[in-house]
Amino acid sequence: MAVSDRTFRSSRATSTSVRRSKSDSPKRPQVYKEAYTADKLRLAYEEVNDGRLSVRRAAEMYNVPKSTLCDRVTGRVKFDTLSGPSRYLNDKEEEELVKFICQCAKTGYAKTKKEILAIVEEILRSKGNPTHVSNGWWESFRSRHPVLTLRTVEKLSYAGSVASDPRIIDHYFDLLEKTLRDNELLDSPAQIFNCDESGLPLEHTPSSVVGIKGQKHPRTLTSGNKKQMTVLACVNAAGYAIPPLVIFARKSLNPLLTINEVPGTMYGLSDTGWMNSEIFLNWFTHHFLVHAPASRPLLLLLDGHSTHYNPDFVRVAAHEKVIIFCLPPNTTHLMQPLDKGVFGPLKSHWNEECQKFMSKNPGKVVTQYDFMGIFSKVWYKAMIIPNILSSFRTTGIYPLNRSAIHVEDQATPLDPEVESLAEKTGLAFIPFYTPNRLHKSKSLTNDDNQPDQEDGPPDPDNSLSDPSSLNDFTEEEHTRYMRRLEEGYDIKSDLRYNLWLKMRCEEVRVQADIPDNLLLGETLKSQSVVNKFLPKLPELRSETLYKKKSAKVLTSVENQKSIDERERMKQEKLEEKEKKKEERQLKQMRRQEEIQKKKEEREKQIKEKAEQKKVIEKKESSAKKKKQDSICEAKMCSHKSARKWVQCSQCSLWFHCMCQQVTSKVVEQPSYIFVCSDCEN
């Protein structure tokens, strides 16, 4: 064959003077059209290991890199080995951790990002690898488990959490469905109503504003008035809203307070500005029944506030064929339409309108006289048909839908048939508490020549030769190190303890066939680690408590009988109380009469004594006067200056005591009887 026939000239023009750009350079052909999986790599390895295919042929057939397959076949690289540094937790440990986090979130004890990182650091510290877990590990961990995410939580009281029991909600829907079916209201949205109160503060909450970048304390003016206005709203499932009831904390209603009102608004006056039984009964009688449709029966859903639970109100409602359905306590955040879809927009619009009012009226604050003008705008924006319909739909009332209310599952134990990692190994590695995290500013490991001063002096055993097994440690060391491990404290500078811990971990792994990166910790008996540390909400053990927290139809015959019975018992107690009060008053009156009688007798005695004293004093004064006027009858009397006299009991003549040789003390004695010497003879 000629040379020309064996020569091929390329049609592509090339130039040695022009440097070829990177875009003009030929690209490497794409050998692997799609990423290979671990299963394909293992299948290719088995084909080569069994001798059925060569390395090159197996790599082409299963679309895996030849060098990767060759490394697995020759044993240079083991299976399930990833490039880069070793992982903190293996797949099973991360799976247990994810289950633990999800269970905590379901029970209302959700963990924060900081708490999770602290738990992982505690795991690593117990493994003998005290490491600071950075935010990068968290991002990778969350990407590996898309079920986890950071969320802004809602506040929920403990009572609300307990009241969200599935049995209470199921009983509520059973009773609601029975009430709707028995009264043929399943397809009558215009006859299903919901009423509730809400407070609108005169000092609004400002929304986000446009400020100056770098300003430390952006401010906006508010009224500073801490009072709030109580508003009662009532809507039905067809989207109709009854005019509101507004309550003022006043004795009388000033007409200036009603300027720019919502047409048909009813006003209530109370000392506190809050709802009470009297105002609610008047609203139902003179406002609700006036604006409600004439068709009967009507269903009115409300919460169990004490102002609603009024026997007179229940009797009037039963007479007017209005079914009063009381929602379960502490569940209005789930089941009350006004709370779910109306009051939220109402308060948002209230804050916006108050902000506009403050901006348009500089130097003026929101008062009670400005309330109706602002509230009327808010009412028209919030009480729109889509909001009302959505509120009844999301609560599952109309159309009736049990699955509309999503309640988080209660904490349930793991499947007993599935053996968890903790049960398999008998070791726990996830604490429920939140341990203290390490900080980058503190050294995680200390140099041999520079022990940590805060953790104490180095152990004297560190100077011994490095042991090769646990048998090289003394019995005293085993006892001391085991106690240190159980109590959970570490001395970073104690290298001998760290070496003992590492050898112990290796020995336990060999005995129990545990994965290499499993944490040693507290031994479990027969309980999953998640089930052990997971908090559980208390169950409703008492049937009485369950019935107490269930929904009720207040206008039912049974409830009216119970109300009448309670009223009868209450009336009997009041009558008994009044009877006891009358008895106490009667006893008190008798006691007062006795006291008054004794007082009068005492006064009478005092008066008689005073009169007797006066008579005696009068007699004494007359006798004294006589004595002064009389002359001593004694013979040879020479006591002109004598003042003490004595009278003879027989002749009634007066003598000087000195003349008769009688002392004045003897004369003053009541039993003394004086007889003169003449009478004696």
Side-chain angles (χ1 to χ4, degrees):
M1 182 181 291
V3 177
S4 60
D5 296 333
R6 291 183 281 113
T7 305
F8 176 75
R9 182 179 177 83
S10 175
S11 61
R12 187 173 183 178
T14 59
S15 176
T16 58
S17 60
V18 180
R19 187 176 181 180
R20 188 166 55 184
S21 62
K22 186 178 290 187
S23 60
D24 296 336
S25 61
K27 296 182 179 180
R28 184 178 180 179
Q30 183 70 26
V31 179
Y32 312 106
K33 296 182 180 180
E34 57 183 9
Y36 68 94
T37 61
D39 295 336
K40 289 185 177 181
L41 181 60
R42 188 173 290 277
L43 291 175
Y45 169 78
E46 292 176 356
E47 293 287 345
V48 176
N49 194 29
D50 295 341
R52 292 190 294 269
L53 294 175
S54 64
V55 174
R56 182 185 60 80
R57 183 61 180 164
E60 292 177 355
M61 179 178 294
Y62 290 98
N63 195 26
V64 297
K66 178 183 175 182
S67 59
T68 303
L69 180 59
C70 185
D71 291 339
R72 301 302 190 276
V73 172
T74 58
R76 287 195 296 268
V77 180
K78 297 181 180 180
F79 276 96
D80 301 329
T81 301
L82 301 177
S83 60
S86 60
R87 293 173 56 184
Y88 292 155
L89 305 176
N90 59 21
D91 293 337
K92 292 184 178 180
E93 289 175 339
E94 287 194 356
E95 183 180 354
E96 288 281 347
L97 181 59
V98 170
K99 288 182 180 180
F100 173 76
I101 295 171
C102 294
Q103 292 282 19
C104 289
K106 289 180 180 180
T107 57
Y109 295 90
K111 293 294 182 182
T112 62
K113 172 185 169 183
K114 184 178 180 181
E115 290 175 328
I116 294 174
L117 296 181
I119 290 174
V120 176
E121 287 182 357
E122 181 70 13
I123 296 172
L124 298 178
R125 190 182 300 113
S126 300
K127 283 183 177 182
N129 181 24
T131 305
H132 177 80
V133 181
S134 63
N135 186 63
W137 178 88
W138 163 254
E139 296 296 337
S140 301
F141 176 73
R142 192 171 62 169
S143 63
R144 290 192 297 270
H145 303 281
V147 69
L148 302 178
T149 183
L150 291 175
R151 297 285 301 276
T152 301
V153 297
E154 298 178 0
K155 294 187 294 183
L156 179 63
S157 64
Y158 181 78
S161 177
V162 175
S164 301
D165 189 279
R167 293 182 299 172
I168 295 178
I169 296 177
D170 291 341
H171 179 268
Y172 158 74
F173 274 108
D174 292 340
L175 185 59
L176 178 63
E177 182 177 4
K178 181 178 182 301
T179 304
L180 294 175
R181 289 188 183 279
D182 293 347
N183 296 277
E184 300 179 355
L185 296 176
L186 284 172
D187 297 325
S188 303
Q191 297 172 239
I192 303 174
F193 286 84
N194 173 230
C195 71
D196 191 24
E197 304 90 353
S198 182
L200 297 178
L202 297 180
E203 183 180 17
H204 69 283
T205 302
S207 57
S208 300
V209 297
V210 179
I212 304 172
K213 188 175 182 180
Q215 186 180 2
K216 293 184 178 180
H217 303 288
R219 301 180 180 88
T220 184
L221 296 177
T222 60
S223 64
N225 194 339
K226 301 300 181 180
K227 293 182 179 180
Q228 69 174 7
M229 309 299 297
T230 302
V231 177
L232 174 64
C234 184
V235 296
N236 67 1
Y240 169 68
I242 293 177
L245 164 68
V246 180
I247 302 177
F248 289 98
R250 298 174 63 90
K251 297 292 184 181
S252 60
L253 183 65
N254 192 329
L256 298 177
L257 296 171
T258 63
I259 297 176
N260 298 325
E261 65 176 1
V262 178
T265 301
M266 182 180 180
Y267 297 96
L269 303 175
S270 66
D271 296 335
T272 60
W274 300 341
M275 177 67 72
N276 55 40
S277 301
E278 184 180 359
I279 294 178
F280 186 77
L281 178 60
N282 279 277
W283 170 83
F284 179 79
T285 307
H286 303 101
H287 195 72
F288 175 80
L289 296 177
V290 172
H291 292 86
S295 56
R296 293 291 187 274
L298 301 178
L299 177 64
L300 179 60
L301 297 126
L302 41 75
D303 55 33
H305 195 266
S306 59
T307 58
H308 304 161
Y309 204 79
N310 185 1
D312 296 334
F313 160 65
V314 174
R315 294 191 188 95
V316 173
H319 181 265
E320 296 291 340
K321 296 183 179 180
V322 179
I323 304 169
I324 307 300
F325 194 96
C326 183
L327 300 174
N330 302 308
T331 59
T332 55
H333 63 287
L334 295 173
M335 303 177 183
Q336 181 134 250
L338 286 171
D339 285 341
K340 289 287 287 185
V342 177
F343 283 158
L346 181 72
K347 294 187 177 182
S348 298
H349 291 306
W350 169 258
N351 292 327
E352 293 176 2
E353 291 297 329
C354 288
Q355 185 69 26
K356 291 180 181 179
F357 179 85
M358 297 289 292
S359 300
K360 293 180 180 179
N361 301 275
K364 190 176 181 180
V365 297
V366 180
T367 63
Q368 292 183 351
Y369 293 92
D370 306 313
F371 175 79
M372 290 307 300
I374 302 174
F375 176 72
S376 60
K377 301 176 183 178
V378 174
W379 180 267
Y380 294 136
K381 290 182 179 180
M383 293 294 173
I384 57 178
I385 295 178
N387 286 355
I388 300 174
L389 296 180
S390 176
S391 65
F392 280 90
R393 182 173 61 253
T394 54
T395 52
I397 296 175
Y398 183 83
L400 187 64
N401 182 13
R402 290 175 175 266
S403 61
I405 297 178
H406 301 282
V407 180
E408 294 294 338
D409 298 334
Q410 302 295 324
T412 55
L414 299 178
D415 189 355
E417 298 180 358
V418 180
E419 187 179 13
S420 67
L421 183 61
E423 292 175 347
K424 182 179 179 181
T425 61
L427 302 170
F429 60 91
I430 299 180
F432 175 68
Y433 64 92
T434 303
N436 295 328
R437 291 196 59 195
L438 297 175
H439 299 281
K440 292 183 178 180
S441 59
K442 294 184 178 181
S443 176
L444 299 178
T445 58
N446 296 322
D447 188 53
D448 297 346
N449 300 326
Q450 296 179 354
D452 192 346
Q453 299 298 332
E454 296 180 358
D455 295 334
D459 196 300
D461 296 335
N462 293 341
S463 59
L464 302 176
S465 59
D466 294 340
S468 58
S469 66
L470 287 175
N471 296 328
D472 296 338
F473 292 90
T474 64
E475 184 177 356
E476 182 183 357
E477 287 178 324
H478 277 292
T479 304
R480 185 169 71 254
Y481 292 159
M482 182 60 69
R483 186 183 298 111
R484 184 182 301 177
L485 177 63
E486 291 175 354
E487 293 178 357
Y489 66 89
D490 295 332
I491 298 179
K492 301 175 184 178
S493 60
D494 192 348
L495 302 180
R496 191 171 179 83
Y497 167 72
N498 293 332
L499 187 59
W500 173 87
L501 180 62
K502 182 178 180 181
M503 290 183 178
R504 184 176 181 278
C505 292
E506 293 176 355
E507 183 175 334
V508 175
R509 290 193 191 100
V510 173
Q511 294 176 359
D513 191 18
I514 307 171
D516 293 339
N517 54 351
L518 179 66
L519 167 68
L520 293 176
E522 181 184 357
T523 303
L524 290 177
K525 295 181 180 179
S526 60
Q527 190 178 18
S528 172
V529 60
V530 176
N531 192 27
K532 176 179 179 181
F533 292 108
L534 192 64
K536 292 181 176 60
L537 295 175
E539 298 181 356
L540 299 178
R541 300 177 182 177
S542 174
E543 190 67 21
T544 305
L545 180 62
Y546 170 69
K547 292 181 179 180
K548 183 179 179 181
K549 291 182 175 294
S550 301
K552 294 180 180 179
V553 179
L554 300 184
T555 51
S556 62
V557 178
E558 295 81 2
N559 191 68
Q560 290 190 50
K561 288 182 179 179
S562 63
I563 289 176
D564 294 338
E565 182 65 20
R566 284 195 296 270
E567 284 294 312
R568 184 185 62 79
M569 295 175 62
K570 184 178 179 180
Q571 189 65 27
E572 289 179 355
K573 289 182 179 180
L574 289 176
E575 291 177 357
E576 185 178 358
K577 187 176 180 181
E578 289 292 333
K579 185 177 180 181
K580 290 182 178 180
K581 186 178 178 181
E582 291 178 358
E583 291 178 356
R584 288 196 302 270
Q585 290 178 353
L586 183 61
K587 289 181 180 180
Q588 188 175 3
M589 290 175 61
R590 290 176 180 175
R591 193 180 300 111
Q592 291 291 339
E593 290 177 357
E594 292 177 358
I595 293 173
Q596 185 68 22
K597 186 176 181 180
K598 290 181 179 180
K599 185 178 179 181
E600 292 177 354
E601 290 179 355
R602 194 181 306 111
E603 290 178 352
K604 184 178 180 181
Q605 292 177 0
I606 293 172
K607 189 175 181 181
E608 289 178 354
K609 288 182 179 180
E611 291 178 354
Q612 291 177 2
K613 186 176 180 181
K614 287 181 179 180
V615 171
I616 294 172
E617 289 178 352
K618 187 176 181 181
K619 288 181 178 180
E620 290 179 353
S621 61
S622 61
K624 186 177 180 180
K625 186 176 181 181
K626 288 180 179 180
K627 286 188 293 182
Q628 292 176 357
D629 297 340
S630 62
I631 302 173
C632 181
E633 299 297 336
K635 298 178 179 179
M636 304 297 292
C637 177
S638 60
H639 304 90
K640 297 182 179 180
S641 61
R643 296 184 179 180
K644 296 296 182 180
W645 295 78
V646 61
Q647 186 179 19
C648 180
S649 59
Q650 294 183 3
C651 61
S652 301
L653 297 177
W654 289 91
F655 300 90
H656 289 137
C657 292
M658 297 177 67
C659 295
Q660 299 297 323
Q661 297 179 357
V662 180
T663 61
S664 58
K665 292 183 179 180
V666 176
V667 174
E668 290 177 357
Q669 293 179 1
S671 60
Y672 177 71
I673 300 174
F674 172 72
V675 179
C676 64
S677 57
D678 296 336
C679 294
E680 288 180 353
N681 297 327

